[in-house]
Amino acid sequence: MEHNETAEASGAEMRRRGFLARLSSVAMVTGLVAGYGAFAAIIARYLYPARPQAKGWLYVTDVAGLKPGDSVVFRTPQGATAAIARQGAGVEASDFIALSSTCPHLGCQVHWEQQNDRFFCPCHNGTFDPSGKATGGPPFEAGQSLPRYPLKVEGGLLYIEVPLEQLAGGGACTLEKPGGPPGPGHDPCLYARGRARV
Ligand code: FES
């Protein structure tokens, strides 16, 4: 009787050890696969580095056409919109600023308010300082900013640098004044054209 109990205990111990051995093998194989996967990803990044996005300069307006304190809305070929404001009286690119006019909160259109020295989003009273940093409303609470586009002035003409992929977006356009209904998906360029036809 005692002999049988000893044999059973010994069998259970062997099964437990076998189970633990299999478990540790599985863990080892899983670790190796994960390690090789990460290594392969590093090699792939080295062999096939991400190509920098192609960018190009697009004409916006002649410098004289935008008075200090004025702003225009520019639509990139991809359909993104930028608010371009003249914040200085000079004729250098540093006298202008181009920021995405799409509010990072819920996508309404922001516009430049010269009298308040800020960009304003009418949907939920979001405010941004002249550099695009949020100063009030939901974008401020979320620590969001308006992305900035580079500008340059050549021969009295103002140009904006934008990504050139997805050129099928419908072409660029510039509006003299921001306008149209504020709201997600609003395209101020198309809106202005539609009103012009009425
Ligand atoms: S969408 Fe601009 S503050 Fe909400």
Side-chain angles (χ1 to χ4, degrees):
M1 182 71 173
E2 193 178 322
H3 176 72
N4 283 346
E5 283 176 0
T6 306
E8 268 176 34
S10 158
E13 177 61 16
M14 284 176 66
R15 282 195 296 280
R16 190 179 72 82
R17 285 188 187 169
F19 172 72
L20 289 176
R22 282 196 298 280
L23 199 61
S24 103
S25 300
V26 168
M28 194 170 74
V29 169
T30 304
L32 279 173
V33 167
Y36 279 124
F39 182 65
I42 290 169
I43 295 289
R45 271 207 299 275
Y46 177 76
L47 290 177
Y48 307 103
R51 277 187 308 149
Q53 204 174 24
K55 291 183 176 176
W57 291 98
L58 297 178
Y59 168 75
V60 178
T61 180
D62 61 303
V63 169
L66 199 57
K67 303 274 179 287
D70 278 355
S71 65
V72 293
V73 173
F74 181 83
R75 190 183 67 184
T76 71
Q78 300 95 321
T81 48
I84 303 175
R86 184 168 184 179
Q87 296 175 338
V91 293
E92 307 295 325
S94 57
D95 292 298
F96 299 81
I97 189 166
L99 299 170
S100 167
S101 66
T102 302
C103 180
H105 178 222
L106 289 179
C108 293
Q109 290 293 302
V110 307
H111 59 266
W112 172 246
E113 289 184 341
Q114 174 70 7
Q115 69 279 20
N116 295 318
D117 199 30
R118 68 180 187 183
F119 288 90
F120 180 68
C121 177
C123 284
H124 311 101
N125 296 328
T127 55
F128 304 83
D129 72 11
S131 72
K133 189 174 171 205
T135 53
F140 175 67
E141 286 157 23
Q144 297 166 316
S145 297
L146 298 169
R148 187 168 180 168
Y149 292 91
L151 291 170
K152 73 174 180 181
V153 173
E154 272 183 13
L157 305 179
L158 182 67
Y159 296 87
I160 184 172
E161 189 183 37
V162 299
L164 290 180
E165 290 178 0
Q166 306 165 16
L167 277 172
C173 86
T174 305
L175 286 177
E176 287 306 311
K177 289 285 178 195
H186 160 54
D187 182 333
C189 295
L190 293 179
Y191 179 77
R193 286 179 198 150
R195 290 199 341 161
R197 282 196 295 270
V198 173

mmCIF file of all heavy atoms in Angstrom, residues 103 105-108 121 123-126 138-139, ligand 1:
data_model
loop_
_atom_site.group_PDB
_atom_site.id
_atom_site.type_symbol
_atom_site.label_atom_id
_atom_site.label_comp_id
_atom_site.label_asym_id
_atom_site.label_seq_id
_atom_site.Cartn_x
_atom_site.Cartn_y
_atom_site.Cartn_z
ATOM 1 N N CYS A 103 -8.818 73.421 -36.993
ATOM 2 C CA CYS A 103 -8.661 73.361 -35.533
ATOM 3 C C CYS A 103 -8.364 71.924 -35.106
ATOM 4 O O CYS A 103 -9.058 70.984 -35.520
ATOM 5 C CB CYS A 103 -9.942 73.851 -34.865
ATOM 6 S SG CYS A 103 -9.851 73.830 -33.069
ATOM 7 N N HIS A 105 -9.010 70.574 -32.437
ATOM 8 C CA HIS A 105 -10.020 70.015 -31.537
ATOM 9 C C HIS A 105 -10.988 69.130 -32.327
ATOM 10 O O HIS A 105 -10.918 67.915 -32.246
ATOM 11 C CB HIS A 105 -10.775 71.139 -30.800
ATOM 12 C CG HIS A 105 -11.854 70.627 -29.906
ATOM 13 N ND1 HIS A 105 -13.088 71.221 -29.821
ATOM 14 C CD2 HIS A 105 -11.891 69.559 -29.068
ATOM 15 C CE1 HIS A 105 -13.838 70.552 -28.949
ATOM 16 N NE2 HIS A 105 -13.131 69.536 -28.480
ATOM 17 N N LEU A 106 -11.865 69.746 -33.139
ATOM 18 C CA LEU A 106 -12.822 68.945 -33.906
ATOM 19 C C LEU A 106 -12.867 69.349 -35.377
ATOM 20 O O LEU A 106 -13.829 69.060 -36.073
ATOM 21 C CB LEU A 106 -14.220 69.042 -33.295
ATOM 22 C CG LEU A 106 -14.398 68.324 -31.950
ATOM 23 C CD1 LEU A 106 -15.816 68.516 -31.426
ATOM 24 C CD2 LEU A 106 -14.097 66.836 -32.077
ATOM 25 N N GLY A 107 -11.840 70.062 -35.851
ATOM 26 C CA GLY A 107 -11.718 70.286 -37.292
ATOM 27 C C GLY A 107 -12.425 71.499 -37.853
ATOM 28 O O GLY A 107 -12.537 71.621 -39.071
ATOM 29 N N CYS A 108 -12.921 72.413 -37.033
ATOM 30 C CA CYS A 108 -13.499 73.648 -37.576
ATOM 31 C C CYS A 108 -12.385 74.527 -38.143
ATOM 32 O O CYS A 108 -11.215 74.290 -37.904
ATOM 33 C CB CYS A 108 -14.246 74.403 -36.479
ATOM 34 S SG CYS A 108 -15.713 73.535 -35.890
ATOM 35 N N CYS A 121 -11.106 80.042 -33.147
ATOM 36 C CA CYS A 121 -11.981 78.990 -33.666
ATOM 37 C C CYS A 121 -13.378 79.219 -33.100
ATOM 38 O O CYS A 121 -13.576 79.165 -31.880
ATOM 39 C CB CYS A 121 -11.484 77.604 -33.250
ATOM 40 S SG CYS A 121 -12.608 76.309 -33.819
ATOM 41 N N CYS A 123 -16.101 77.497 -33.204
ATOM 42 C CA CYS A 123 -16.949 76.367 -32.796
ATOM 43 C C CYS A 123 -17.065 76.243 -31.279
ATOM 44 O O CYS A 123 -18.155 76.068 -30.744
ATOM 45 C CB CYS A 123 -16.418 75.070 -33.400
ATOM 46 S SG CYS A 123 -16.818 74.954 -35.148
ATOM 47 N N HIS A 124 -15.924 76.287 -30.597
ATOM 48 C CA HIS A 124 -15.963 76.159 -29.127
ATOM 49 C C HIS A 124 -15.058 77.201 -28.476
ATOM 50 O O HIS A 124 -14.467 76.959 -27.434
ATOM 51 C CB HIS A 124 -15.532 74.749 -28.706
ATOM 52 C CG HIS A 124 -16.233 73.666 -29.466
ATOM 53 N ND1 HIS A 124 -15.655 72.987 -30.525
ATOM 54 C CD2 HIS A 124 -17.495 73.182 -29.354
ATOM 55 C CE1 HIS A 124 -16.517 72.125 -31.026
ATOM 56 N NE2 HIS A 124 -17.633 72.213 -30.344
ATOM 57 N N ASN A 125 -14.915 78.359 -29.159
ATOM 58 C CA ASN A 125 -14.106 79.463 -28.630
ATOM 59 C C ASN A 125 -12.653 79.054 -28.365
ATOM 60 O O ASN A 125 -12.070 79.452 -27.343
ATOM 61 C CB ASN A 125 -14.730 80.040 -27.355
ATOM 62 C CG ASN A 125 -16.079 80.667 -27.627
ATOM 63 O OD1 ASN A 125 -16.297 81.209 -28.716
ATOM 64 N ND2 ASN A 125 -16.986 80.577 -26.684
ATOM 65 N N GLY A 126 -12.110 78.282 -29.260
ATOM 66 C CA GLY A 126 -10.686 77.954 -29.147
ATOM 67 C C GLY A 126 -9.856 79.153 -29.582
ATOM 68 O O GLY A 126 -10.184 79.821 -30.563
ATOM 69 N N PRO A 138 -10.980 74.270 -25.703
ATOM 70 C CA PRO A 138 -10.579 72.854 -25.696
ATOM 71 C C PRO A 138 -9.169 72.597 -26.240
ATOM 72 O O PRO A 138 -8.450 71.744 -25.688
ATOM 73 C CB PRO A 138 -11.643 72.177 -26.574
ATOM 74 C CG PRO A 138 -12.823 73.075 -26.490
ATOM 75 C CD PRO A 138 -12.286 74.475 -26.350
ATOM 76 N N PRO A 139 -8.710 73.309 -27.296
ATOM 77 C CA PRO A 139 -7.343 73.026 -27.764
ATOM 78 C C PRO A 139 -6.291 73.341 -26.702
ATOM 79 O O PRO A 139 -5.283 72.639 -26.600
ATOM 80 C CB PRO A 139 -7.179 73.952 -28.979
ATOM 81 C CG PRO A 139 -8.570 74.244 -29.436
ATOM 82 C CD PRO A 139 -9.390 74.276 -28.193
HETATM 83 S S1 FES B 1 -13.314 72.718 -33.102
HETATM 84 FE FE1 FES B 1 -12.087 74.417 -32.580
HETATM 85 S S2 FES B 1 -12.446 74.689 -30.471
HETATM 86 FE FE2 FES B 1 -13.636 72.977 -30.993
#
